[in-house]
Amino acid sequence: MSSVQLTNITKKFKDVTAVEDLNLTINEGEFFTFLGPSGCGKTTTLRMIAGFYYPTAGTITFNDRDMTKVPPEKRNTGMVFQNYALFPHMSVFENVAFGLKVRKLNKSDIKRKVMDVLEKVRLEQYYDRQVSQLSGGQQQRVALARALVIEPDILLLDEPLSNLDARLRDQMRTEILRLQRDFGITTIYVTHDQVEALTMSDRIAVFNMGKCQQVGTPLDIYNNPVNDFVAQFIGETNLFPVEPEITDEQIKVYKLKDSNFKIHAKHKKSEISDDKHSGLYMSIRPEAVRLKNEKMEGNNVVEGVIEIVQFTGASVHFFVRVDKSITVRITRLNKGPHTYFNEGDKVFVQLPEEHIRIVPKAGE
Amino acid sequence: MMNAENRRTAMLLIPISLVLIGYVLYPSIETIIESFKSQDAFSFKNYEDFFGSKASANLEALWNSVWISILSVFFSALIGVPLAFIFNRYDFPGRKFFSSVAIMPIVLPSLVGVMAFMFLYGEAGLVPNAIKDLFNLSEVPFSIGGVSGILIVHAYTMYPYFYMTTSSALRNLDPSLEEAAFNLGSNRFKVFWKVTFPLLTPGLVAASLLVFMVSMASFSAPFLLAGGFRVLSLQIYFSKINGDLEMAATQSVILSVVSILFLLFMRWFQERKDYRMASKGIGAHRSEVNNPILKWTMVTIGILSMIILLLPHATLLILSLVPEGAWTWQTYPTAFSLENFKLLFEDPNIWDPVRNSLVMSFIACIGVFVFGIITSYTLVKRKFVGKNLLDILVMIPWALPATVVGMNLILAFNEKSIFSFGSILVGAYWILPLAYFIRFLPLVVRSTNAVLEQMDDSLEEAAKNLGAKWFYTFRRVVIPFILPGVLSGTLLAFVQAVGEFPTSVLLYTLDNRPISIEIMNQLRMFNIGQAAAYGMIQVALISIVIFISDKFLGIKAERSL
Ligand SMILES: Nc1ncnc2c1ncn2[C@@H]1O[C@H](COP(=O)(O)OP(=O)(O)OP(=O)(O)O)[C@@H](O)[C@H]1O
Ligand SMILES: [Mg+2]
């Protein structure tokens, strides 16, 4: 088991900067996720850790050992590729045994270890199958077994579930977590699926355009996004540009851009580095917004008309137009038909102060 | 910075460049230099002669080569495309069998094929004489020879290019496209011209260019059939025989320029227009033929073309059973026996050429196998500057007509050079294996490239990630993955080397005379039976290879061209 430290890592491909000045520490035994939209540099970072790319600048250390220039075969990382990269000319057993054969273990040890790990991924009866005769989920587990059997210091997974259908994805998510806890292995998981990231990770690093935007626990990232990108990328949110009006110690009032609405907010000074920041946004999650057919007490109450009602089963989404340029999205649990509003209803919307976050625009 | 990866690439590139420079580039340059020499001084005299009035036969030969090639393209397409349509679009009794017979010309090596045609349709051929006797004519009604002979042989041996490209295009063509057009109200004729045909054009153009190049380079057919008719590939041979190496070099350069221009044009065309189908998975649909007249017409076409296609094979078999002296002045052979095959194993003089061919092809193929894998791997999986250059260098022997490859070797190795380790190769045993190696290297590199391109980089990465060093990965992951493709390419190279005629006739010596030379000798001595028996050996070898590739390596015969 290892911790991983990335210090001032930059990776350039000719004139494309795939990763820029990245600093990260991944602790021993942690399930750490790289999350971000397509092309933001997640794979590139993972491949630098595996040793397939060398950083243009910066250092990579495992447990204080400098690994920046070590070739991939000497790093003892176990990688699960997005397409699994199973050797098509070998059986399940031979695939899993490959890393052990390279390490020159004797035959009986190899056999024991391979069968052990196949049992862990519940594939022991498939050991002599050709890999082409396995289903997607089974292939995925062979890839996992092959990476785990060498007892790697770090397990690297690059979107391992993206080729599977929704139901299997759910199953495999639990499976991976179970194995990770079993082996207690430091794991780096790449995904662009926020649900996957939130449900599985100990900590998440959110990437955008080659830069790490925020590192934190799933709770932290969801509740306290540091900028508009993170707020918007993780979960649903209502995001409006605002300008500061009064910002002293007690009262903070912002004005929605291009309208007269005053927004009262409560937040600690430390949350925004600089209130005079060029662009500020207010973010509020749809489930935090209150909705009633009569005027409510307190600040931040506006009147609007229900424009769209979407029913998703467990919850109901309402889109309320409060101004010609502003629509608020509201999510409520489904508590029965008597609680529904209809399209065209006049309603009141409250944005509770304690749920409002004022965040800066993400740096370019 | 020279990291481990770059060092490895360099280690791979050094032997590859040495071989390609020594045996492809250097000989080509020697030929170009020779073509500018006149009495050991630099001059344009050879080119002036070529295009001038002094040696007008040359210009005539160039012109003949070009129009023969154009007509060959036309006739090959005329046979190949309709056959492909009939066999792929209609379902009628025996369709499957007929369609597998349709590619039978590929099992006849060119020299052997030409020979079979001579004895079938030539002046003394079986078919014209049979018709003459049947109808009591005073003269044979027709016979092939000269231009018509060359054209018929070309059409027969080259139409499979059209047949295969059209068939595979038709199979890949999504039927819903045509159905959509019908659905939008087009009639059959319109659908063909507006939808089907445009989708077939890329394949047809590629096949046309290929057939053009192959018939520009064609040697065996003119060699045996031309009579007084001149084509450029043959002129090179005559110049060399007459000892005029400078003119042979000049002719080689001009023939090469034409061929390479066509190759470049073909590449450009393929890159420009490659619309693959976006959808897949739907098998071709065949209309079942219900109209009895149409159905039996199709079956008749099938049977007739099968007979015509297999007649050369049958002729070859029959001829191979004619012992020496049993068919000299008679209209038909008078006796049959297994004498010729028995002699193969009893008379060392008869067996020697077979052994020579097998041994030399084997040597060449070991080289092609090892070197082909390394070259292809480097080309496909490694990054380095000058990749395009290397790619072109590997493919030059493919674009060059065989006669030119032979001339290049003669001009490069008729004196001592470092690439021949200080000895003169012309007149030595080793020059033929070397020639086969160079001739068939592109074939193996191409078939290996095709499989390597299918291999995702992540396989190698996965092996490295599991701790395997480069060589272990190469041995345990890369080679097993590509082996079937490489083996089938190498086997094909082997049988083609066994049948190779143009370079053999330029470079052979008494010690290493291969089968094809002996066929020529036996024909000269009118020992047709023995020549045909040699031919049968080649046909058997090719059939075995195609069978092995198909059954054990999973490579279809269509892909091997
Ligand atoms: N080998 C390469 N050569 C050149 N550019 C590259 C290379 N690999 C990645 N890039 C570029 O670097 C950027 C980051 O790519 P990366 O593959 O890391 O994205 P990603 O976050 O994994 O995206 P995805 O979710 O689509 O897999 C992209 O702009 C990509 O085009
Ligand atoms: Mg990626």
Side-chain angles (χ1 to χ4, degrees):
Chain A
M1 257 206 292
S2 285
S3 65
V4 179
Q5 188 140 27
L6 307 180
T7 319
N8 302 336
I9 293 286
T10 297
K11 176 68 187 175
K12 290 193 173 119
F13 296 104
K14 301 223 173 72
D15 45 356
V16 183
T17 306
V19 176
E20 195 176 342
D21 199 27
L22 176 65
N23 287 287
L24 271 183
T25 305
I26 296 147
N27 302 321
E28 266 188 40
E30 191 170 35
F31 196 111
F32 195 94
T33 301
F34 295 167
L35 177 64
S38 187
C40 67
K42 307 175 300 270
T43 300
T44 307
T45 311
L46 197 75
R47 289 169 64 83
M48 284 192 283
I49 296 173
F52 297 129
Y53 293 152
Y54 296 119
T56 315
T59 54
I60 299 172
T61 53
F62 295 178
N63 278 347
D64 303 326
R65 208 156 80 78
D66 185 357
M67 302 298 264
T68 316
K69 293 271 165 67
V70 176
E73 62 267 25
K74 300 214 177 100
R75 295 199 182 197
N76 202 35
T77 63
M79 180 143 170
V80 176
F81 291 78
Q82 183 168 1
N83 62 355
Y84 315 143
L86 297 178
F87 306 127
H89 54 286
M90 297 182 191
S91 67
V92 170
F93 185 94
E94 288 167 322
N95 260 284
V96 179
F98 187 92
L100 299 175
K101 276 197 194 135
V102 170
R103 286 168 174 70
K104 302 213 164 66
L105 267 65
N106 66 41
K107 274 228 167 69
S108 60
D109 280 352
I110 292 182
K111 179 136 202 249
R112 187 174 44 75
K113 286 195 177 201
V114 171
M115 290 319 280
D116 273 359
V117 78
L118 283 178
E119 198 183 311
K120 280 240 165 64
V121 298
R122 307 197 180 109
L123 281 177
E124 63 273 34
Q125 70 271 41
Y126 294 102
Y127 72 98
D128 58 350
R129 286 267 188 107
Q130 281 315 114
V131 288
S132 55
Q133 301 169 321
L134 298 178
S135 72
Q138 289 166 336
Q139 291 185 0
Q140 219 264 319
R141 281 181 282 166
V142 176
L144 255 175
R146 187 177 70 178
L148 286 170
V149 78
I150 60 169
E151 292 165 24
D153 295 323
I154 305 152
L155 184 62
L156 305 172
L157 304 126
D158 190 357
E159 308 205 24
L161 304 184
S162 59
N163 287 342
L164 304 180
D165 63 48
R167 191 168 288 271
L168 201 54
R169 205 148 56 206
D170 264 359
Q171 258 174 37
M172 288 308 301
R173 227 182 262 161
T174 335
E175 192 95 342
I176 290 175
L177 262 186
R178 180 179 65 82
L179 288 166
Q180 196 263 342
R181 303 279 184 243
D182 261 18
F183 285 76
I185 193 169
T186 312
T187 302
I188 303 176
Y189 189 95
V190 167
T191 182
H192 59 247
D193 180 334
Q194 37 139 338
V195 179
E196 231 165 82
L198 291 174
T199 51
M200 297 172 82
S201 324
D202 293 324
R203 284 195 303 151
I204 300 173
V206 183
F207 283 70
N208 190 32
M209 319 246 289
K211 286 197 193 130
C212 178
Q213 306 288 329
Q214 186 173 6
V215 180
T217 62
L219 263 175
D220 212 24
I221 301 251
Y222 189 80
N223 290 334
N224 306 313
V226 295
N227 59 32
D228 65 322
F229 174 80
V230 179
Q232 206 168 25
F233 190 72
I234 290 147
E236 299 289 345
T237 197
N238 293 292
L239 198 69
F240 305 114
V242 292
E243 285 159 355
E245 286 244 316
I246 317 166
T247 51
D248 61 29
E249 287 304 307
Q250 270 81 49
I251 324 160
K252 296 179 176 69
V253 182
Y254 296 83
K255 186 171 86 73
L256 284 192
K257 249 189 194 146
D258 309 323
S259 77
N260 297 321
F261 294 126
K262 299 279 187 290
I263 298 290
H264 294 253
K266 273 186 195 162
H267 59 81
K268 290 177 235 74
K269 184 83 192 153
S270 62
E271 280 168 9
I272 322 170
S273 50
D274 177 12
D275 274 6
K276 314 264 169 330
H277 201 280
S278 61
L280 286 179
Y281 288 87
M282 64 147 291
S283 158
I284 185 163
R285 300 288 179 192
E287 67 272 17
V289 182
R290 295 174 62 200
L291 180 67
K292 270 198 170 155
N293 50 10
E294 61 211 38
K295 197 158 166 100
M296 292 160 270
E297 293 292 302
N299 287 324
N300 304 346
V301 178
V302 287
E303 194 180 354
V305 178
I306 305 244
E307 214 170 43
I308 301 171
V309 179
Q310 280 176 349
F311 175 70
T312 65
S315 53
V316 188
H317 301 300
F318 302 98
F319 292 83
V320 179
R321 176 165 294 282
V322 297
D323 184 12
K324 60 181 179 306
S325 63
I326 302 170
T327 309
V328 181
R329 182 188 171 124
I330 299 152
T331 301
R332 283 175 142 198
L333 281 181
N334 177 10
K335 295 204 178 112
H338 63 281
T339 60
Y340 299 169
F341 289 95
N342 294 316
E343 287 171 12
D345 285 0
K346 272 218 166 64
V347 288
F348 288 90
V349 167
Q350 183 173 36
L351 314 175
E353 290 169 64
E354 64 275 18
H355 291 297
I356 289 179
R357 263 189 77 81
I358 305 291
V359 291
K361 193 170 166 48
E364 289 299 290
Chain B
M1 187 188 69
M2 190 83 162
N3 63 29
E5 288 294 296
N6 293 344
R7 256 204 313 277
R8 195 156 295 129
T9 307
M11 292 301 290
L12 287 166
L13 277 175
I14 290 169
I16 295 173
S17 327
L18 277 180
V19 169
L20 289 178
I21 289 172
Y23 304 112
V24 175
L25 192 61
Y26 163 70
S28 308
I29 290 173
E30 280 291 302
T31 302
I32 295 175
I33 293 175
E34 184 77 18
S35 76
F36 285 108
K37 257 202 237 162
S38 181
Q39 279 135 21
D40 286 328
F42 177 88
S43 90
F44 289 100
K45 186 172 161 299
N46 298 316
Y47 289 91
E48 281 160 17
D49 285 355
F50 189 102
F51 291 104
S53 55
K54 194 163 158 231
S56 60
N58 286 323
L59 205 55
E60 186 195 321
L62 173 62
W63 172 233
N64 285 345
S65 286
V66 170
W67 69 257
I68 285 258
S69 302
I70 291 173
L71 283 181
S72 300
V73 170
F74 177 75
F75 287 123
S76 306
L78 205 63
I79 302 174
V81 176
L83 271 191
F85 260 92
I86 294 174
F87 289 153
N88 283 288
R89 277 302 167 81
Y90 297 98
D91 213 357
F92 50 90
R95 183 196 67 82
K96 251 194 147 148
F97 177 69
F98 294 141
S99 71
S100 62
V101 169
I103 59 166
M104 283 311 274
I106 65 172
V107 306
L108 280 186
S110 53
L111 183 69
V112 178
V114 178
M115 185 177 93
F117 265 82
M118 268 170 57
F119 290 104
L120 253 181
Y121 305 111
E123 191 76 45
L126 295 172
V127 173
N129 279 297
I131 296 178
K132 183 183 122 189
D133 289 353
L134 210 63
F135 297 101
N136 275 322
L137 306 175
S138 56
E139 298 239 342
V140 287
F142 67 91
S143 73
I144 63 164
V147 180
S148 66
I150 298 175
L151 279 177
I152 287 177
V153 170
H154 278 187
Y156 175 80
T157 49
M158 293 169 198
Y159 92 82
Y161 292 113
F162 277 98
Y163 178 78
M164 288 178 193
T165 42
T166 311
S167 296
S168 87
L170 282 176
R171 273 196 299 271
N172 291 335
L173 196 143
D174 185 346
S176 60
L177 286 178
E178 288 175 319
E179 281 159 9
F182 281 122
N183 179 255
L184 295 170
S186 312
N187 59 27
R188 239 167 216 288
F189 186 72
K190 246 199 176 138
V191 168
F192 178 80
W193 283 112
K194 298 278 161 162
V195 180
T196 319
F197 189 71
L199 288 169
L200 292 181
T201 19
L204 291 181
V205 172
S208 305
L209 292 169
L210 200 64
V211 168
F212 185 90
M213 278 172 60
V214 172
S215 51
M216 277 300 279
S218 166
F219 184 81
S220 312
F223 185 85
L224 289 183
L225 295 169
F229 188 73
R230 295 169 207 277
V231 296
L232 199 48
S233 54
L234 208 55
Q235 287 299 101
I236 297 175
Y237 172 73
F238 289 140
S239 300
K240 188 254 164 185
I241 295 289
N242 295 334
D244 190 354
L245 288 186
E246 285 159 8
M247 187 38 90
T250 312
Q251 290 159 337
S252 298
V253 170
I254 287 167
L255 187 56
S256 310
V257 167
V258 177
S259 297
I260 287 178
L261 279 181
F262 262 85
L263 180 77
L264 292 179
F265 181 62
M266 187 158 125
R267 284 202 148 191
W268 170 80
F269 185 85
Q270 275 173 340
E271 267 159 35
R272 197 179 62 104
K273 249 195 174 175
D274 189 11
Y275 18 61
R276 297 232 169 88
M277 292 288 113
S279 56
K280 54 174 183 178
I282 318 105
H285 61 163
R286 296 198 183 87
S287 331
E288 217 168 299
V289 183
N290 287 324
N291 178 343
I293 299 175
L294 198 59
K295 179 157 123 189
W296 293 112
T297 317
M298 299 246 169
V299 176
T300 317
I301 293 178
I303 293 174
L304 275 181
S305 42
M306 185 186 73
I307 291 174
I308 294 173
L309 288 173
L310 290 181
L311 258 183
H313 302 71
T315 313
L316 196 67
L317 180 65
I318 293 170
L319 290 180
S320 74
L321 299 175
V322 176
E324 191 166 3
W327 190 23
T328 43
W329 49 268
Q330 302 93 333
T331 316
Y332 304 107
T334 49
F336 298 98
S337 73
L338 285 174
E339 179 75 14
N340 295 317
F341 292 98
K342 250 191 9 229
L343 279 179
L344 268 176
F345 298 101
E346 283 167 6
D347 185 346
N349 264 333
I350 304 238
W351 170 250
D352 272 356
V354 179
R355 198 203 51 211
N356 286 340
S357 271
L358 292 178
V359 171
M360 289 190 298
S361 303
F362 185 73
I363 296 171
C365 281
I366 291 189
V368 157
F369 179 77
V370 174
F371 191 73
I373 290 181
I374 299 175
T375 309
S376 167
Y377 174 80
T378 311
L379 273 177
V380 176
K381 295 289 175 188
R382 294 268 142 183
K383 287 199 200 82
F384 55 93
V385 279
K387 194 181 243 188
N388 268 327
L389 206 71
L390 188 70
D391 196 23
I392 290 173
L393 217 52
V394 176
M395 287 306 151
I396 281 181
W398 184 71
L400 291 185
T403 333
V404 174
V405 174
M407 274 320 293
N408 287 352
L409 288 176
I410 289 175
L411 293 168
F413 297 116
N414 58 5
E415 54 202 274
K416 291 178 179 158
S417 96
I418 43 165
F419 296 114
S420 56
F421 305 103
S423 61
I424 296 173
L425 279 183
V426 172
Y429 182 88
W430 284 96
I431 193 146
L432 265 188
L434 178 65
Y436 297 165
F437 170 79
I438 295 165
R439 275 273 285 150
F440 299 110
L441 178 64
L443 194 156
V444 173
V445 171
R446 272 157 59 101
S447 64
T448 312
N449 280 357
V451 263
L452 268 177
E453 270 153 18
Q454 309 248 307
M455 191 181 97
D456 200 278
D457 289 348
S458 64
L459 283 190
E460 268 185 274
E461 287 173 358
K464 272 191 217 162
N465 178 258
L466 294 166
K469 293 216 174 53
W470 176 80
F471 189 62
Y472 189 90
T473 308
F474 189 70
R475 215 156 42 91
R476 288 304 179 82
V477 176
V478 179
I479 300 242
F481 188 94
I482 61 176
L483 201 60
V486 187
L487 268 185
S488 105
T490 310
L491 282 174
L492 197 74
F494 179 78
V495 289
Q496 293 201 10
V498 169
E500 171 73 7
F501 183 56
T503 48
S504 303
V505 79
L506 285 170
L507 299 168
Y508 79 97
T509 66
L510 203 59
D511 287 342
N512 67 2
R513 66 184 200 290
I515 295 184
S516 50
I517 298 304
E518 195 57 26
I519 292 183
M520 190 178 80
N521 289 339
Q522 297 289 352
L523 284 179
R524 279 207 184 116
M525 298 186 288
F526 294 103
N527 189 0
I528 295 126
Q530 196 59 56
Y534 282 125
M536 282 308 291
I537 294 182
Q538 296 185 14
V539 171
L541 272 178
I542 296 178
S543 312
I544 292 170
V545 160
I546 289 179
F547 178 78
I548 291 179
S549 291
D550 187 63
K551 278 271 138 44
F552 300 107
L553 306 173
I555 309 256
K556 288 269 161 278
E558 283 96 306
R559 271 198 36 211
S560 48
L561 263 183

